[in-house]
Each structure stands twice: as C-alpha cells, then as structure tokens.
Amino acid sequence: MEEGIFGAGDSEAEISRLKRPAKRQDWVTPDGTLFEITIPATVYPPREDTDVLARALRMLGPGKGQRFLEIGCGSGAVSIYAASLGYRVRACDVNPYAVAATKANAQRLGHDVEVSEGGPGPKEDGPVEQWAGQEPHDVVVWNLPYLSHDASIDDVLGPLEEAALLDTDEKGLTSRLMKHVSENQLINDQGLILLLVSGNNRGLQAERVAQKHGFAARCVTTHSFEDGDPLRLIAIWKPYSGASRHHFSEIPSTNQAALDQSQCVGDLFTAQHQSKARGRRNRAWSSEDRCFAGTWTLALNTPSMSPGFIQILAGHAVITTHAILGVKEEAMVLKWPNDIIQLTDESAGKVAGVLVEGVSKGDEGKVVLGIGVNFSTNQPRNHEFSIAYLDEVIPEVDSEQYTAVIHAVIASYFEHRSGVKNASDEALIEMLNNEVKRSEKILGRPNYRLESWVIKEVDRKGKLSLTNSQNETVLISDGEDLEWPLISNN
C-alpha cells in the first residue's frame, strides 16, 4: 500500500539503484583543502548548498572543542569540515547508507565524527538521544529538504535520499525541529542553529516558525542556483541569552525602570500594570486590565540605528508578533511612526504603541524600547480616542506566550549576536517601505497642511518622505503633522 509520494514499488527501485557503483568526488572546503569523498548510490553528494553551509561555518571561526551536530549529513562533507575546524562533531541521517558513508569518509580523512541513524521527521525514528546525543550543542546545522516533488523526473537518488530532499511533511520539518529544540535542549544558552531552507513556500516562514517557539531568527545569506531556485540560510538562537528579565505586578513605568536599573543590552522589564505609563510627548498611556507592557534595553551607548528608525521597526515587530499568533494581515496596520491600528468590520482603533527613550551622561548612554499592547478590559470604553483590544481578533491571548514571541521577534530585529550577520539597512528599509505603503492603502493617503500626499519612502532616520500632485516632496519627522482619512489623528 502506498503512503505519501513513495510506495511499495520504490523499495524495489531502491534495491536496484544500490547496484550502481559508489563514486569518488573531490570537494574543496572554503579554506582550500581538498576532501576526496566517497559517495555510495542513493547518498546525497556535496553540492552548492553544501558550500553555503561550509562557508557559514568558516565565518564562525575555530571550533575550539565546541559541540557540533549536523542533521541530514549525507556523505559527511560538512561534518568532516566541522571536525577539521576543531569541533567535536556528531552527525545523523535517516539514510543508513549516508551514515555508513559519513563514518567511512571521516575515518579515511583522519577526522573523528560520531554518526547515528535517525533525525527529526513526521514519524519517530528512535528517541532524540539516539541521533542527537545526551548533551546540548553549540552549533546545529541542517540542510533542510527544499525541492519540489516532480514525478516526471527519472534521474533521482532513490526514495531514502529523495525523502531527505523533499519536505513532504504536512507539519513542516522546521516546526518539528523547533519542537525538539524547545523540549530537549538541543542547543545550550549560547548555541546557534543554521538552517538552509528554500526561498519559496515553507522556507519563507522559517523565521516565524522559530519565533513562535520563542527563538530569535534572522536570514543571514541567500544563494541562487543556476536554474534560479533560491536558498536562504537562517540563523536561530535563544534571544538575549545573557540578559535578565524583571516582572512586576505594578510599577510606575517599565521604560523608567529600564532607564534606571538595566545593566545589560537585552534586559527586559515587564509589568502587569503601570501607574504612570507614558507615550510620545509624555502623554499618559492607558494601562488596560489585561495587556503587555514591556521595555527592552537596546543599547548602553550610541545605538547603530536612529531612535526614529527603531520605533518604526519595533512597530513592524508588533505586527509580525500578531501575525505569528494568528492575526490576519488585513486586521493590523502600522500608523507611522509608532501606533499599531487594529481593524475589524465594526471599528478601527489603537491596539499598541511604541516609545523609544534614552539618557546620556558624558560618554555613556542608554536607549530603551517600550511597547504597550491592549489585550482586553472589563471597564467601560471611555477614551478620548478609539482603543482596540487584541482579544477581539485572537481571543484569550496568553500573556506568557505573547511575551516569549515578541521577545524573540525583537531580538531577531535588534540583537547583535556573535556569529550572526546583522540585517542590512537596505533590507530593513525595503521591509518598512512595504509596511508603510500597505498602511496607505488601508488608512488612506495622509493629509499634510490640508493637502493629500502620497507616501514615497522611509529613510534611514525613520523620517517619512511624501510627494504631492505637483511633484513636490516633503520630509516628515513627526506623526503629529499628519492626519489619516480612516481614523482621527491620535
């Protein structure tokens, strides 16, 4: 009986393919060392994607005895290269012939690699300890399945290895891996995961899958094959692992607490209730019955981003968090520069706000980022402007889950993580320009000085460039100067 894309006939095909002789392939490491790799039939050989992972490892520097795990090791090229860099290497693969190949290639090239059969997948293939060992790792890499299944192609490696190339898992292998990482401590507090994923379909969701499990994630490089199929290398880590968290049942202001008390970048201050919360221009922020009120310390000196850019990026982080938790895209929009507007069939109102503040003393300084989100209230809605509540679009918001996800997203955008390349200014600006232009479609063209203007772009300081029908351009730095047709100016 057939199950999935492989059936009983594939077993016979696999046996027939095993009659093909093994091949020898010369693979050159990023350091210029030549590895002669023996590749049995049905085992995945070193290819361009192998080079992408190897280059990423080289950027991390010497292994210095750190623990390394490769999932889906194939012929063993990446694992052997990791061993040559000084890592203590463990590798695994669902294909027993890949396990044998990796063992033999490592032994012949004089490197110590522990290899086991198994790995994450739709079905349990032994306990996690069988393929991952007993101890957490410093680095985990996985070249995830990224090919689309095409039944018309005859020249395949065979079912065992095709299963490692095609993500036929309905849940998604990234999600299964992150579940293992969360529940089984596959990485230590400073550990790093490198996933090579497709630039299409599921691969584009890899960061959000990791963030949903409470891990920071960032695309650090992209690669395109000659046929145009894109790959993305995603770095995943525990957000701000060296920082501390402080939670209070009630304090005057989480921003003020962070300005006064934080000692480390990434320190997070949260409160169930704020008695003197504030927004822009020192306005009072309404602290609802159930809400998220949190402040991160982003810098202890001059930040790499301007405060204006930080607040827009933080607003986008709130929208991303809500999308991860199940809010539909059309229900949430950023009102430049720092308000998040929630839209339903009945109303539009402010559901969240962002406030960036800083202090300086001599050569020292501190920059903090505060975010407030309304979950729900039992009180009558009596505000001078329209307020929205997150439970109107995702009922019964779990405070702990919300904190874990937004903490992961904030770290993904702002944390300077050793071994992880920061997102480029160009990529961030493109992302934010897409966001503000989406808001224009929903909120309408902004009015400035009694005239309707078109959003042109956001610059590196977070200022908004507008143009009018006479091709005049203005640069706006204060949201108070604008009015939006769909909502009153708050």
Side-chain angles (χ1 to χ4, degrees):
M1 186 176 85
E2 293 195 356
E3 182 177 352
I5 62 171
F6 301 120
D10 291 308
S11 299
E12 297 180 5
E14 181 79 2
I15 294 172
S16 67
R17 289 185 180 96
L18 289 172
K19 297 178 181 178
R20 294 179 299 185
K23 298 179 180 179
R24 288 286 181 93
Q25 177 178 326
D26 290 340
W27 179 65
V28 180
T29 73
D31 305 314
T33 304
L34 188 147
F35 285 173
E36 187 181 72
I37 304 292
T38 299
I39 309 164
T42 80
V43 171
Y44 191 68
R47 291 178 178 170
E48 289 179 64
D49 47 4
T50 311
D51 297 335
V52 173
L53 275 178
R55 287 195 295 268
L57 275 182
R58 186 173 186 270
M59 293 297 294
L60 294 180
K64 297 182 178 180
Q66 297 180 91
R67 296 186 61 82
F68 176 95
L69 170 67
E70 182 183 14
I71 301 171
C73 56
S75 59
V78 171
S79 287
I80 297 168
Y81 178 57
S84 76
L85 293 175
Y87 287 95
R88 289 184 291 159
V89 179
R90 186 181 184 98
C92 65
D93 202 295
V94 296
N95 184 349
Y97 302 103
V99 172
T102 298
K103 287 181 177 179
N105 286 322
Q107 184 177 15
R108 183 168 46 80
L109 292 169
H111 293 288
D112 186 17
V113 177
E114 185 178 357
V115 194
S116 303
E117 185 178 341
K123 295 183 178 180
E124 292 294 331
D125 189 4
V128 173
E129 293 80 7
Q130 173 183 307
W131 50 269
Q134 300 281 349
E135 300 180 54
H137 300 85
D138 299 282
V139 179
V140 175
V141 303
W142 191 7
N143 182 359
L144 268 81
Y146 56 83
L147 299 181
S148 300
H149 177 59
D150 188 343
S152 66
I153 299 177
D154 294 326
D155 185 18
V156 295
L157 293 165
L160 280 172
E161 203 59 24
E162 287 296 298
L165 297 178
L166 307 177
D167 190 352
T168 59
D169 181 8
E170 291 184 2
K171 184 176 180 180
L173 292 175
T174 303
S175 181
R176 294 191 187 277
L177 172 64
M178 294 314 303
K179 188 173 184 294
H180 283 305
V181 174
S182 301
E183 296 178 353
N184 298 286
Q185 294 295 312
L186 288 190
I187 59 172
N188 57 36
D189 286 344
Q190 300 296 323
L192 182 66
I193 301 172
L194 296 174
L195 297 186
L196 195 59
V197 302
S198 168
N200 296 317
N201 303 322
R202 283 182 178 170
L204 292 174
Q205 299 299 315
E207 292 99 315
R208 292 191 176 187
V209 170
Q211 291 157 356
K212 187 174 184 178
H213 284 83
F215 288 81
R218 184 184 301 156
C219 179
V220 293
T221 190
T222 59
H223 177 80
S224 293
F225 292 117
E226 290 183 3
D227 59 7
D229 291 337
L231 294 178
R232 304 168 68 239
L233 185 65
I234 309 300
I236 299 172
W237 68 96
K238 294 182 179 181
Y240 292 119
S241 60
S244 60
R245 295 194 190 188
H246 310 266
H247 182 72
F248 305 86
S249 58
E250 181 173 341
I251 56 173
S253 162
T254 56
N255 266 28
Q256 194 59 53
L259 288 170
D260 293 341
Q261 302 175 34
S262 65
Q263 301 293 324
C264 180
V265 171
D267 283 352
L268 173 59
F269 292 76
T270 57
Q272 189 172 337
H273 180 78
Q274 299 181 95
S275 59
K276 295 182 180 179
R278 58 184 182 266
R280 281 167 55 87
R281 300 194 174 185
N282 213 31
R283 289 172 176 161
W285 169 266
S286 174
S287 190
E288 304 300 321
D289 296 329
R290 290 191 65 250
C291 65
F292 172 82
T295 298
W296 291 261
T297 300
L298 293 188
L300 295 178
N301 45 37
T302 303
S304 58
M305 298 178 185
S306 71
F309 195 82
I310 289 172
Q311 70 178 350
I312 304 172
L313 188 56
H316 188 276
V318 174
I319 291 175
T320 298
T321 298
H322 294 177
I324 291 170
L325 294 173
V327 176
K328 294 181 180 178
E329 181 183 37
E330 60 270 19
M332 207 70 58
V333 65
L334 173 68
K335 181 172 81 70
W336 180 89
N338 68 321
D339 291 340
I340 292 83
I341 305 300
Q342 182 172 292
L343 304 109
T344 64
D345 294 337
E346 294 79 23
S347 64
K350 181 175 175 179
V351 71
V354 175
L355 180 63
V356 178
E357 293 187 289
V359 294
S360 60
K361 185 177 181 180
D363 295 332
E364 297 182 357
K366 186 180 294 184
V367 176
V368 301
L369 164 65
I371 293 177
V373 185
N374 304 321
F375 289 171
S376 63
T377 185
N378 295 319
Q379 303 300 318
R381 301 188 182 196
N382 184 23
H383 300 284
E384 61 184 56
F385 51 84
S386 180
I387 293 290
Y389 298 92
L390 194 58
D391 69 351
E392 295 171 335
V393 290
I394 46 172
E396 298 181 3
V397 180
D398 182 87
S399 181
E400 288 188 10
Q401 182 189 21
Y402 189 95
T403 302
V405 174
I406 197 168
H407 187 58
V409 175
I410 291 295
S412 302
Y413 288 1
F414 294 105
E415 185 176 359
H416 298 286
R417 174 61 159 78
S418 176
V420 178
K421 182 180 178 182
N422 292 335
S424 69
D425 288 347
E426 291 75 15
L428 293 175
I429 288 174
E430 180 182 4
M431 179 178 70
L432 294 181
N433 274 319
N434 289 337
E435 187 63 57
V436 296
K437 289 174 182 176
R438 184 177 76 90
S439 70
E440 183 184 63
K441 293 180 180 178
I442 297 173
L443 301 179
R445 292 181 177 179
N447 292 316
Y448 174 66
R449 293 180 178 175
L450 304 178
E451 184 179 357
S452 178
W453 295 70
V454 175
I455 293 177
K456 187 177 179 182
E457 63 182 358
V458 172
D459 70 9
R460 282 176 167 79
K461 293 186 177 181
K463 296 181 179 181
L464 192 65
S465 178
L466 305 176
T467 184
N468 64 8
S469 56
Q470 289 79 44
N471 290 323
E472 298 172 324
T473 300
V474 294
L475 194 61
I476 309 295
S477 58
D478 194 335
E480 305 289 334
D481 295 333
L482 303 180
E483 292 186 352
W484 303 83
L486 186 65
I487 55 176
S488 61
N489 193 39
N490 297 333

